[in-house]
Amino acid sequence: MFEVNSNVVGAAAGKHGEAASDIKLQPVQPAALKLACSNCNLLELCMPLGLKTEELDKIEAVVALRRKVKRGSRLYGNGEKFTSLFAIRTGFFKTCVTTEDGRNQVTGFQMAGEVIGLDGIVQDHHTCDAVALEDAEVCVMPFDRIEELSREVVSLQRHVHKIMSREIVREHGVLLLLGSMRAEERLAAFLLNLVQRLHARGFSQSELLLRMTREEIGSYLGLKLETVSRTFSKLVEDGIVEVRQRHIRIVDSAALKLIINSHTPSC
Amino acid sequence: MFEVNSNVVGAAAGKHGEAASDIKLQPVQPAALKLACSNCNLLELCMPLGLKTEELDKIEAVVALRRKVKRGSRLYGNGEKFTSLFAIRTGFFKTCVTTEDGRNQVTGFQMAGEVIGLDGIVQDHHTCDAVALEDAEVCVMPFDRIEELSREVVSLQRHVHKIMSREIVREHGVLLLLGSMRAEERLAAFLLNLVQRLHARGFSQSELLLRMTREEIGSYLGLKLETVSRTFSKLVEDGIVEVRQRHIRIVDSAALKLIINSHTPSC
DNA sequence: CGACACCTTGAAGAGGTTCAAGAAATGTGG
DNA sequence: CCACATTTCTTGAACCTCTTCAAGGTGTCG
């Protein structure tokens, strides 16, 4: 269902009443095909451990639908009515908040096994946009059913709480990054975080394909796209990474970590 | 019990195994004195609306203890075992994360009616420090009792979810601030946010007493203390605020809002 | 193949930081 | 209760990082 992992979702800055986003629903297959949680290779990523078969059955029933989201289109948008959380099955998302006066901020990048939509709970409306950066598929989990079930299944209740707490802690890390790091440190932290999460999903420890533009990275890191580009170039010069467009190869992971940890005193 | 308000708590950057902080416990008074929730003037701030008397009684039973925290000492610290959430009855807190290499970031300022400690849920240990900026008193709410009760009282369950979601959304706002605003805009947003929350608690719309140093403001806003000081001076020059040490008077609230909303295109 | 989006790099400029000094407020101990 | 030590705040000047503006290169998609 969903993951308690070190990097999930978010939302902010309100404004209600938008149209529904690009909808492509498909009912979950009947039991015969068994595309449900028990067969999902993300199970251990996104469910509490040690569920009884009986509990797992209940939880599978929560996943009402699958939904495909095309690259570039929104899973949900600011102002839209909140009904469900979404567990990412495949694909890659960004979430971003926008103010009335056009300010924009990417608040996170999410990948398979992570849950998005938590921002919508408090106001019953979403306060950010979730945009697919590549073709994606999500499990739609109506929130009232999650609440219902987590009153019955204690481990699920605890799991939901952890997911939300995890998101809070993740954002604390981003606050630290934005509040106290220089450009090179931010980019290093960004790359290490991405590659670590990808590695947890079975991908390489040293290579990654960026799903987002320099501008989106910049927005997330509080930098201009030119600064992101220049900082990449500097890392290349220093022999720490190789960059071919969006294909990144981390040559010297230790050096990246050193960039983050060896800052001058104070701050 | 606790508030779903636009500015609550947070935590990050791990490291376990610290000593307990300054403990001053006092059991909640027996029914005779009735210092429980039903008598608390923060009730409407921090509880779901429309509780039945019976439900309220149950919830009161969750508040196990009160705890006093002296100015400058910690309610909890990074690495400490997580057991409870804390509802602030009186006083003022900051929460901040620290990394191994000494980087430090204030993640929020919390006041009466707000709940802190949510960062501890995911790892069962706190990942930030909560420090009292003035003598404070909190209600201690053991989290396992909260979970227990929120399986029984639906409105409480929903309330807990909203509190966590609210914190996520609040942090999105801070990300926006740190990622895209200039010093003057950050300070303006900070002052407006503070005064708005204070006003919701019955204080003035235009005057406030800062509980934190320039350095703490700077840490929160991603600025150096000198920059905070200079920016205050600029606001004074422009006749927008009056500053006498930590006593702030907002002379032209509209101008403050304009500073935030009238930024140049792009970003 | 041409249009468009994305990325890189240079040069000039602005905003914020750093370092330093001094003033104001606060707390402490005699 | 006053004097002194300490913390906090303000302000100036030089510096540095990142931004802005501009141009050109690369890649992609219809």
Side-chain angles (χ1 to χ4, degrees):
Chain A
M1 195 181 230
F2 31 83
E3 173 187 22
V4 177
N5 174 29
S6 79
N7 203 303
V8 195
V9 91
K15 183 200 308 183
H16 285 186
E18 294 224 4
S21 22
D22 333 68
I23 303 182
K24 249 151 233 163
L25 299 173
Q26 43 168 200
V28 167
Q29 277 78 355
L33 284 178
K34 264 293 193 190
L35 273 187
C37 301
S38 49
N39 267 13
C40 179
N41 58 4
L42 295 170
L43 180 62
E44 66 276 8
L45 261 187
C46 81
M47 287 295 281
L49 297 169
L51 281 176
K52 299 175 195 137
T53 317
E54 169 202 329
E55 291 173 336
L56 186 55
D57 286 349
K58 282 187 185 178
I59 289 174
E60 282 184 358
V62 167
V63 180
L65 296 162
R66 297 270 167 69
R67 183 170 151 191
K68 287 182 192 284
V69 188
K70 272 282 216 304
R71 170 159 175 251
S73 66
R74 292 184 311 181
L75 173 59
Y76 58 82
N78 183 14
E80 219 166 273
K81 180 86 177 159
F82 166 75
T83 61
S84 306
L85 299 181
F86 305 95
I88 303 174
R89 272 180 62 81
T90 61
F92 203 92
F93 286 85
K94 71 169 176 181
T95 46
C96 49
V97 299
T98 311
T99 59
E100 315 76 56
D101 57 329
R103 236 188 273 267
N104 195 60
Q105 173 75 26
V106 172
T107 56
F109 297 106
Q110 296 83 27
M111 58 182 70
E114 297 178 337
V115 171
I116 61 183
L118 299 171
D119 61 280
I121 297 171
V122 63
Q123 313 257 37
D124 237 56
H125 288 266
H126 286 286
T127 53
C128 71
D129 296 339
V131 178
L133 296 182
E134 59 179 357
D135 290 358
E137 190 177 19
V138 300
C139 298
V140 180
M141 308 177 294
F143 190 61
D144 47 12
R145 309 220 32 206
I146 291 177
E147 287 192 321
E148 206 178 305
L149 198 56
S150 71
R151 289 195 294 272
E152 294 172 29
V153 181
V154 174
S155 66
L156 178 62
Q157 178 191 38
R158 173 50 65 108
H159 198 69
V160 170
H161 290 156
K162 283 187 189 238
I163 283 171
M164 302 185 82
S165 176
R166 169 81 47 143
E167 174 62 5
I168 290 168
V169 169
R170 179 192 75 84
E171 292 192 2
H172 284 180
V174 184
L175 293 185
L176 183 74
L177 181 144
L178 290 175
S180 79
M181 291 187 182
R182 289 175 315 100
E184 201 182 8
E185 299 169 331
R186 294 182 196 194
L187 192 61
F190 170 73
L191 290 176
L192 286 172
N193 174 274
L194 261 191
V195 84
Q196 170 247 309
R197 286 156 65 203
L198 287 167
H199 188 230
R201 284 158 182 77
F203 295 96
S204 166
Q205 253 183 97
S206 59
E207 294 194 50
L208 64 156
L209 191 59
L210 298 176
R211 254 61 226 221
M212 69 296 282
T213 66
R214 302 289 191 259
E215 185 168 23
E216 286 163 333
I217 295 172
S219 171
Y220 180 63
L221 298 179
L223 302 169
K224 293 297 161 192
L225 70 96
E226 294 94 331
T227 306
V228 173
S229 181
R230 267 185 255 274
T231 308
F232 267 126
S233 299
K234 175 156 193 316
L235 292 180
V236 171
E237 271 177 44
D238 296 352
I240 296 172
V241 304
E242 289 170 13
V243 177
R244 281 201 330 272
Q245 293 296 122
R246 298 197 181 175
H247 188 103
I248 310 289
R249 199 175 125 72
I250 297 177
V251 178
D252 189 347
S253 168
L256 269 189
K257 284 170 193 152
L258 205 64
I259 287 175
I260 303 172
N261 291 344
S262 70
H263 64 112
T264 36
S266 75
C267 93
Chain B
M1 197 183 232
F2 31 84
E3 173 188 23
V4 177
N5 174 28
S6 79
N7 203 300
V8 194
V9 93
K15 180 201 306 181
H16 285 186
E18 294 225 4
S21 22
D22 333 68
I23 303 184
K24 248 149 234 164
L25 299 172
Q26 43 169 200
V28 166
Q29 277 77 356
L33 284 180
K34 264 294 191 189
L35 272 187
C37 301
S38 50
N39 267 15
C40 178
N41 58 6
L42 295 170
L43 181 61
E44 65 277 9
L45 260 186
C46 81
M47 286 295 280
L49 296 170
L51 283 174
K52 298 178 195 133
T53 318
E54 170 202 331
E55 292 173 336
L56 187 55
D57 286 349
K58 283 187 184 177
I59 289 173
E60 282 183 0
V62 167
V63 179
L65 297 162
R66 297 270 167 70
R67 183 169 151 192
K68 287 182 193 283
V69 188
K70 272 279 217 301
R71 171 161 174 249
S73 66
R74 291 185 311 182
L75 173 59
Y76 58 82
N78 183 14
E80 220 165 272
K81 179 88 177 156
F82 166 74
T83 60
S84 306
L85 299 181
F86 305 95
I88 302 174
R89 272 180 62 82
T90 61
F92 202 93
F93 287 84
K94 72 169 176 181
T95 46
C96 49
V97 298
T98 311
T99 60
E100 314 77 55
D101 57 328
R103 238 188 269 268
N104 195 61
Q105 172 75 26
V106 172
T107 55
F109 297 107
Q110 297 82 25
M111 56 181 71
E114 298 177 338
V115 171
I116 62 183
L118 299 171
D119 62 279
I121 298 171
V122 65
Q123 314 257 38
D124 237 58
H125 289 266
H126 286 286
T127 53
C128 72
D129 296 339
V131 178
L133 297 181
E134 61 179 356
D135 290 358
E137 190 178 19
V138 301
C139 298
V140 179
M141 307 177 295
F143 190 62
D144 48 11
R145 310 221 31 206
I146 291 177
E147 287 193 319
E148 207 177 305
L149 198 57
S150 70
R151 291 196 293 271
E152 293 173 28
V153 182
V154 174
S155 67
L156 177 63
Q157 179 192 37
R158 172 52 63 112
H159 198 68
V160 171
H161 291 157
K162 283 188 189 239
I163 283 170
M164 301 184 83
S165 175
R166 170 81 46 144
E167 174 63 4
I168 290 168
V169 169
R170 179 191 77 81
E171 292 192 2
H172 284 179
V174 184
L175 293 185
L176 184 74
L177 181 143
L178 290 175
S180 79
M181 292 189 181
R182 290 176 314 101
E184 202 183 9
E185 298 169 331
R186 295 182 196 194
L187 192 61
F190 170 73
L191 289 176
L192 286 172
N193 174 274
L194 262 192
V195 84
Q196 169 246 309
R197 286 155 66 202
L198 288 166
H199 188 230
R201 284 157 182 77
F203 294 96
S204 167
Q205 256 184 90
S206 58
E207 294 194 49
L208 65 155
L209 190 60
L210 298 176
R211 254 59 228 223
M212 69 296 282
T213 67
R214 301 289 191 261
E215 185 168 23
E216 287 162 334
I217 297 173
S219 171
Y220 180 63
L221 299 179
L223 302 169
K224 293 295 161 194
L225 68 97
E226 294 95 330
T227 307
V228 172
S229 181
R230 269 185 253 273
T231 309
F232 267 127
S233 300
K234 175 157 193 315
L235 292 180
V236 170
E237 271 176 42
D238 296 352
I240 296 173
V241 304
E242 289 169 13
V243 177
R244 283 200 329 275
Q245 292 296 120
R246 300 197 182 175
H247 187 102
I248 310 288
R249 200 176 122 72
I250 297 176
V251 178
D252 189 347
S253 168
L256 269 189
K257 286 170 193 153
L258 205 63
I259 286 175
I260 303 172
N261 290 344
S262 70
H263 65 112
T264 36
S266 75
C267 93

